[in-house]
Amino acid sequence: MLPHKFIEARLQAAVAAVLPGANLATVLVRPCPDAQFGDYQANALMALAKERKLNPRQLATEVLARLDVAGVCAPVTVAGAGFLNFRLLPEALNAALRAAARGEHHFFQPTAQPRTYVVDFSSPNVAKPMHIGHIRSTILGDALARLLRLLGHRVVTDNHIGDWGTQFGKLLVGWKTRLDAAALAADPIQEMERLYKTVHAAGEADPAVLEQARRELVQLQEGDAENLAIWRRMIELSQVQFDDIYSRLGVTFDHTYGESFYNSRLKSVVTELRDRGIAVESEGAMVVFSDGTRPPKEDPFLKQEAGEWKPNPALVQKSDGAANYTTTDLATLAFRWETWRPDVVLYVTDGRQQLHFQQLFAIHRRWRPEAAMQLEHVWFGSILGDDGKPYKTRSGEVVRLSDLLDEAAERAFQVVREKNPELPEAECRRIGRVVGLGAVKYADLLPNRQSDYVFSWDKMLAFNGNTIPYLLYAYARIRSIFRKAAAEAPVAAAAEPAAVAAVTPEEVALAKHLLRLDFVLAAVADDYRPNFLCAYLYELAGHFARFFENCPVLKASPAERASRLVLCDLTAGVLKQGLEILGIEVLEQM
């Protein structure tokens, strides 16, 4: 058991003895914000005392009298209004390191209460190129899915692709009247994008073209064989692009249910909403108004204009009888509940969709209150250029994701070749691919997800600072220690669990930082913020650098050498595990 989990269990037992019936779920141990006071801290006693109108320091003293953490902590102290501070004994720290070296834990503890998560992310559109706007959803969603699985949860990933809607009327007109077969064979996505743009422009100039597109769409919706065949071909060609991008990113999905999958459910959704009085007719459309159960500031169906709260209804059926995103998303939620019974559904999209999801979740609670799902919109900010505007090409076009990944690999290749001119070109390109792709992912996950960030090749490919080249180099440097150790004395190169002992200040600081991983992973899972993990890994690399500078490994005495090799191996393992959660490969050599 991890030391803080042991302390937490003993603390909960002591609280239960003093306050029978207390909510022990709130009695938690967390890292001490100031190391001078200890390694861990518990502040739950103050809240428990307040509930019962007790003196918090007196309660802390009574709990302390029942608390037995001998052999793990130095004498526990009461501080402030009723904090309990814990400092690990050296032997407890070293025992945790030895347990990790034996594989008994990896500095984190899987959840004792696994939940089922559905993670909805990426969601590209058929017949359109995946672009830089898809990168944040794809990378963030994948990282969260990886983490939740690692922690022992059941995770279902679903790519809700845009394969239905009015745009297909225009695409069908273009396919039938303007298709360039050779261009389609050479670059299907570019040709389909050209068709859409051409017909869209023609429709703005000639209403007859729009009417033609409307008829083609109606025929598709009514099951016309020719239109269905063309539509399926568009999806098939688009999926080739999706698969290529996802393969390069190392992203997989359990399911890919497009919008079209839910068509058969849409009418019944609107009918149920109407029959339950949730949706009402307004100007020929079906809409959902506020039910008045929430304060105006928290009500997504109200908006403030000229100092007054006015209706801001959600549309669930257009006046022409067509459904929209809200209708489809309600049908999707119903399907997900029926199929997977999730505890939590995460929607990973940009922040501009906040109102949509606020209304969607509110409607769903009114429509299906028995479906006790926690619905979360994990939203993120925009990727900006140096001008503070959305990042685009020099010509002002949206950056294609395939072009971005190509450029990342090429730029990283140039950096690697410059630093390692003796390496064969093929090896430089392999390293460049890992570094370039990792740099794009890490730069995207590093900031608070709700913040915009400026896209900078120079910053993300730098070997100093909080970047992926720095972290990959830290990992590779550790692996190089073992190659040198094996070359000098193959037997002595092995990491012997029983030998590890953190003694010097640098060893102790590194070991204690390793033990913080459990808290960091829990925080990422609770708030859906991988930037916490990025910060932790950067700090870990810093701790290792200081350890390496001050504590000789291969030139140390036999006992110190064996111990420090274990510490090196454990650090490399955590670096690798952390980067794998972020979807980033590691390199044995750089």
Side-chain angles (χ1 to χ4, degrees), residues 355-375:
L355 177 61
H356 166 74
F357 284 105
Q358 288 166 6
Q359 292 185 330
L360 173 70
F361 298 166
I363 295 170
H364 186 266
R365 283 192 294 268
R366 289 158 65 180
W367 176 44
R368 294 284 181 89
E370 75 283 358
M373 297 180 285
Q374 179 183 333
L375 305 178

Side-chain angles (χ1 to χ4, degrees), residues 145-196:
R146 288 169 180 263
L147 171 64
L148 293 168
R149 283 195 177 109
L150 182 69
L151 293 179
H153 297 290
R154 177 195 179 207
V155 179
V156 179
T157 53
D158 186 6
N159 195 4
H160 188 77
I161 63 171
D163 66 351
W164 201 248
T166 55
Q167 72 271 25
F168 285 97
K170 295 175 182 178
L171 282 164
L172 285 164
V173 170
W175 190 286
K176 291 182 177 182
T177 62
R178 295 172 169 83
L179 182 65
D180 182 332
L184 185 72
D187 191 336
I189 301 299
Q190 184 170 313
E191 174 60 7
M192 287 189 286
E193 186 181 29
R194 183 191 70 83
L195 292 177
Y196 176 79

Side-chain angles (χ1 to χ4, degrees), residues 195-206:
L195 292 177
Y196 176 79
K197 288 180 177 179
T198 301
V199 176
H200 180 75
E204 290 187 335
D206 184 357

Side-chain angles (χ1 to χ4, degrees), residues 385-403:
D386 291 332
D387 57 0
K389 297 178 180 179
Y391 186 69
K392 293 186 177 181
T393 64
R394 290 181 180 177
S395 61
E397 296 293 319
V398 173
V399 179
R400 286 193 175 204
L401 196 44
S402 58
D403 294 339

Side-chain angles (χ1 to χ4, degrees), residues 226-414:
E226 181 186 12
N227 283 10
L228 280 173
I230 295 172
W231 171 72
R232 290 189 181 111
R233 181 60 176 155
M234 291 177 186
I235 295 174
E236 181 182 291
L237 291 170
S238 299
Q239 192 62 50
V240 172
Q241 175 212 201
F242 301 157
D243 290 344
D244 175 65
I245 294 291
Y246 294 137
S247 175
R248 295 175 70 179
L249 290 172
V251 173
T252 60
F253 295 91
D254 298 313
H255 303 281
T256 299
Y257 291 122
E259 294 171 1
S260 63
F261 179 79
Y262 303 99
N263 282 340
S264 62
R265 293 171 168 258
L266 302 184
K267 287 184 179 178
S268 64
V269 169
V270 177
T271 299
E272 284 188 40
L273 293 174
R274 182 197 62 204
D275 291 348
R276 297 188 185 191
I278 299 170
V280 296
E281 187 176 338
S282 176
E283 298 179 13
M286 296 299 294
V287 300
V288 177
F289 287 96
S290 170
D291 63 356
T293 60
R294 303 173 72 175
K297 285 186 177 181
E298 300 174 11
D299 195 326
F301 303 101
L302 296 176
K303 60 183 176 181
Q304 197 168 31
E305 290 183 357
E308 294 183 13
W309 291 103
K310 296 186 177 181
N312 185 33
L315 184 69
V316 294
Q317 183 176 280
K318 301 176 184 177
S319 57
D320 63 2
N324 66 353
Y325 286 125
T326 301
T327 330
T328 303
D329 283 347
L330 286 168
T332 303
L333 275 171
F335 171 80
R336 286 171 174 167
W337 175 252
E338 294 162 9
T339 307
W340 299 307
R341 285 292 194 271
D343 299 292
V344 187
V345 182
L346 305 182
Y347 289 88
V348 186
T349 79
D350 69 73
R352 292 170 296 179
Q353 299 185 48
Q354 288 180 75
L355 177 61
H356 166 74
F357 284 105
Q358 288 166 6
Q359 292 185 330
L360 173 70
F361 298 166
I363 295 170
H364 186 266
R365 283 192 294 268
R366 289 158 65 180
W367 176 44
R368 294 284 181 89
E370 75 283 358
M373 297 180 285
Q374 179 183 333
L375 305 178
E376 298 280 356
H377 182 206
V378 182
W379 63 272
F380 49 81
S382 300
I383 304 175
L384 307 178
D386 291 332
D387 57 0
K389 297 178 180 179
Y391 186 69
K392 293 186 177 181
T393 64
R394 290 181 180 177
S395 61
E397 296 293 319
V398 173
V399 179
R400 286 193 175 204
L401 196 44
S402 58
D403 294 339
L404 181 77
L405 300 183
D406 288 343
E407 186 171 358
E410 181 60 30
R411 283 177 176 266
F413 162 70
Q414 296 296 345

Side-chain angles (χ1 to χ4, degrees), residues 119-160:
V119 186
D120 179 323
F121 66 102
S122 194
S123 305
N125 293 309
V126 164
K128 292 183 180 179
M130 289 186 72
H131 53 77
I132 195 169
H134 293 107
I135 194 77
R136 298 206 80 176
S137 175
T138 305
I139 290 173
L140 176 58
D142 180 56
L144 294 176
R146 288 169 180 263
L147 171 64
L148 293 168
R149 283 195 177 109
L150 182 69
L151 293 179
H153 297 290
R154 177 195 179 207
V155 179
V156 179
T157 53
D158 186 6
N159 195 4
H160 188 77

